[in-house]
Amino acid sequence: MFNTEIYLSTFINILIFTVLLIIISVQLFFVWKRRDRNFFLKFLGLVISGIIYNVVEGLLPDDRFGVNVISQNICAWIVGLAVALHYFIYIKNEYDLVFFKRFSLSSIGMFACITLILLFILPYTMTGSLEISRIFFLSFFLALFILAAIVVIKQQAIKYKTRKTKVFRFHDIAGIFAFFGLISLPVTILIFGDDQFIEQTSFSVGFFVVAVDFFLYGLRKKEMKKHIPFEKLSVRETEILKLLLENPNLKYAEISSMLHISEKTLSAHLSNIYKKAEIKSKKEIKELSKVYRDSIIA
């Protein structure tokens, strides 16, 4: 299309991402002074990643570029891995997915880069066979993704059972579909090879599911405020709960010091908070804070 290697389906994906880019940019302009603007910024970055992925993967490789095909393919795979990592980090944080507690996101990114070099770039440059190289690389990651998918489904199912509203249940289901969008990359490439329509459409669908969930943010925000009944709390209890929601890692001694009250008095306030707000423990506050902190406090 347009005298390039881009398929019509890929062009449609790019158009959809561009429309999303415009809409989010306008929204960001109006929420710039709000505390939750980072939520919009992160999604804007994800949309830009989606555009980059479709453009690069659609254009490369192309014999008319004057660069050898191996270099073009390596470039495309590096971009693909970078976008996949960005997507992974976004859905991990947005849906509070826990995979490897002992490994930071930076170490996971470093591991993915080293694996790309050892299992794809080196075999590809040595053999010149794209098929062999991608089988090595993608089979390894597909095995990891399948194991991770079991964890994701279990986590989201537990959350789903505790939800009282449809909007939060959809959020949990969206987390599963978003992760399966990531899994679709190695699956479609291994089965269909360089089929631009199947590969890029399946991965882009994961982005679009996240986009639908993004536009439900306002409803989740309203429901979360209802879920935390501040109107039932005293002024001091509200102050304590907001402190915990803003920074769930605060120790009780630190809160007592900040509010100039004894730990015994703090314990009594927390007991009232848990009872009135139907919160079972500080762990539950921490779980709420991870995903919905901006929604509650904004």
Side-chain angles (χ1 to χ4, degrees), residues 48-88:
I48 293 172
S49 286
I51 294 174
I52 293 172
Y53 168 77
N54 277 279
V55 170
V56 173
E57 301 299 323
L59 289 174
L60 302 179
D62 190 328
D63 294 332
R64 294 168 296 180
F65 284 167
V67 180
N68 68 74
V69 173
I70 291 179
S71 297
Q72 289 188 54
N73 277 323
I74 289 175
C75 177
W77 277 69
I78 290 173
V79 171
L81 178 63
V83 171
L85 278 173
H86 185 190
Y87 180 86
F88 170 79

Side-chain angles (χ1 to χ4, degrees), residues 81-131:
L81 178 63
V83 171
L85 278 173
H86 185 190
Y87 180 86
F88 170 79
I89 292 170
Y90 181 91
I91 64 174
K92 180 183 183 302
N93 292 331
E94 175 62 19
Y95 299 102
D96 195 26
L97 306 178
V98 180
F99 301 103
F100 313 104
K101 294 182 179 180
R102 296 183 180 180
F103 297 96
S104 64
L105 289 174
S106 59
S107 60
I108 292 175
M110 184 66 69
F111 173 76
C113 292
I114 293 174
T115 305
L116 178 70
I117 294 171
L118 295 179
L119 296 183
F120 178 77
I121 295 178
L122 287 180
Y124 188 31
T125 53
M126 292 173 65
T127 66
S129 173
L130 178 61
E131 183 176 356

